[in-house]
Amino acid sequence: MSGLAVAIAAVAAAAVVLSADGRLDPGVVAFGGDVTVLRAAGSPRAPGELVGELIGLRGHGLTDLAAGLRAAARQLAGAPADERVAILLSDCVPTTGGDPAAALAGIDRLHVLCPLAAPESERAAAALARAGGGISQPVRRLAEVAPALTRALSRTA
């Protein structure tokens, strides 16, 4: 992903974490060729530290979308049924790993925010969101992040 796409993803993840107000206990997972849990669900972490790490992310190399989704499912394992919701920030074009749709077990609903989406990315994001029972939204500018998150997080079915 480009630098702007990574910034959009970082801002979106930071917004979810900072706006949780104790109502949400989000895990945050970064993935490329490897998967890194930046904040484990149920494990407190200083918001400023997490936001700094998110902003420092750089998109490059391989994208193992399926591994990222499996890691998200592990973070959601302790959540009640119907509350295992994941927000994916990705162009949805895997360059390694298996089929992302086959990695949705343990995720009740997957919403996709697709930064700087090309037509191929928008189609892939829409298909993956449909497979995950969620919605897909292109996010081309930082100003579009908050409304997209609001739509995704307010969707109940």
Side-chain angles (χ1 to χ4, degrees), residues 72-147:
R74 286 191 296 275
Q75 290 299 307
L76 293 168
D82 293 333
E83 290 186 21
R84 294 183 292 252
V85 177
I87 305 287
L88 173 66
L89 303 130
S90 173
D91 64 6
C92 292
V93 179
T95 59
T96 191
D99 177 11
L104 292 173
I107 298 174
D108 295 326
R109 192 167 25 267
L110 174 71
H111 300 299
V112 180
L113 303 186
C114 190
L116 304 174
E120 173 191 2
S121 294
E122 284 191 36
R123 285 189 299 274
L128 187 57
R130 267 192 313 276
I135 61 173
S136 173
Q137 302 171 87
V139 181
R140 292 180 176 85
R141 299 173 316 157
L142 289 174
E144 295 174 352
V145 171

Side-chain angles (χ1 to χ4, degrees), residues 3-111:
L4 180 58
V6 171
I8 288 171
V11 167
V16 170
V17 170
L18 293 174
S19 68
D21 292 336
R23 295 172 289 132
L24 300 174
D25 188 19
V28 178
V29 176
F31 63 94
D34 296 320
V35 175
T36 303
V37 176
L38 300 176
R39 182 187 189 277
S43 298
R45 182 165 182 202
E49 181 183 301
L50 177 59
V51 170
E53 194 166 350
L54 287 165
I55 297 299
L57 291 173
R58 297 292 172 256
H60 64 280
L62 300 174
T63 302
D64 190 345
L65 192 50
L69 290 169
R70 285 190 299 273
R74 286 191 296 275
Q75 290 299 307
L76 293 168
D82 293 333
E83 290 186 21
R84 294 183 292 252
V85 177
I87 305 287
L88 173 66
L89 303 130
S90 173
D91 64 6
C92 292
V93 179
T95 59
T96 191
D99 177 11
L104 292 173
I107 298 174
D108 295 326
R109 192 167 25 267
L110 174 71
H111 300 299

